[in-house]
Amino acid sequence: MALVSADSRIAELLTELHQLIKQTQAHATMSDSQMGVGNLTQILKLGQQHRLGLGSPVAKNLCWLLTEHSFLPSLPSILRKALDKIAEIKSLLEERRIAAKIAGLYNDSEPPRKTMRRGVLMTLLQQSAMTLPLWIGKPGDKPPPLCGAIPASGDYVAKPGDKVAARVKAVDGDEQWILAEVVSYSHATNKYEVDDIDEEGKERHTLSRRRIIPLPQWKANPETDPEALFQKEQLVLALYPQTTCFYRALIHTPPQRPQDDYSVLFEDTSYADGYSPPLNVAQRYVVACKEPKKK
């Protein structure tokens, strides 16, 4: 998407998001007003007790309340639409950043960044995990691919700017899973170009699809969709705290609330039982490990 058209679409989405926020405020106002849901219940009880006629004041108030509620969209519906708008805005901002990066378009006041201080990078990764949207479906909806532990569909292609776990060769020749950012995908070769998130502007890797695992795009809600989470003792790849590398781990405790992290046990031969003490890792940075458990 061209930079100008992306800016135009973002402006449209922000206007639509503002309207949705106003609708949530209307809901809040109605909830706090004297004609709230509690009073509606009382009016219904009075109507049943006294068999009020249609011309009575209470009956008129009841009709007014029912009319107001029937025309105002449900709050969950409004919130779902708002979350969709926010997700689209974030996606467009990411696409714009990648397009500028590829084209070499940088402001004079902000030249290309060659190296990012580790403390800054760790803070950005933590913020990315915290702002990952929570998937909220309609009653009966099943969580989609890339929600929590649900993997991407077989034909899924990660977009430029998407964060992935990528299997690359390290300097010593060993292979490791790193946190990377997608630059492009070639349908002709079925290969990705990705940048190591910790080496922006320094090294680019060309990798086949089987060496790429897309990260979750939504958090799963343990209270409504526990099946979309990894379960206790399940083998996963998890981002080791304060690093940009994924390592094999066992789930110690799944999240209990939407804001909770996984508690995982990393494989570590320096411990008698072969596993580290429990460490917290956000849903954003836990993906399935297809390799068998070590005996």
Side-chain angles (χ1 to χ4, degrees), residues 83-190:
L83 288 172
D84 288 343
K85 302 295 180 189
I86 293 170
E88 189 175 350
I89 290 169
K90 289 177 67 177
S91 177
L92 287 169
L93 288 171
E94 194 68 10
E95 287 180 20
R96 187 176 65 175
R97 184 182 67 81
I98 292 296
K101 179 180 175 182
I102 294 172
L105 302 177
Y106 294 91
N107 296 329
D108 293 338
S109 60
E110 188 180 351
R113 212 171 33 200
K114 293 185 178 179
T115 305
M116 184 185 297
R117 285 165 45 192
R118 175 159 293 272
V120 175
L121 176 59
M122 293 301 110
T123 299
L124 290 175
L125 296 183
Q126 189 176 30
Q127 289 176 348
S128 176
M130 291 176 62
T131 58
L132 188 69
L134 180 70
W135 187 77
I136 302 174
K138 298 177 182 177
D141 284 354
K142 292 184 178 180
L146 294 180
C147 173
I150 302 177
S153 58
D155 58 351
Y156 178 81
V157 174
K159 301 185 296 297
D162 282 357
K163 304 301 185 292
V164 297
R167 190 171 188 176
V168 302
K169 281 192 175 181
V171 178
D172 58 7
D174 290 339
E175 294 196 333
Q176 61 181 4
W177 287 95
I178 64 168
L179 178 60
E181 180 179 81
V182 174
V183 176
S184 64
Y185 176 77
S186 170
H187 289 277
T189 62
N190 287 328

Side-chain angles (χ1 to χ4, degrees), residues 4-18 89 92 96:
V4 176
S5 61
D7 288 343
S8 176
R9 179 57 182 154
I10 289 171
E12 292 176 6
L13 288 167
L14 287 171
T15 300
E16 294 170 7
L17 181 60
H18 182 251
I89 290 169
L92 287 169
R96 187 176 65 175

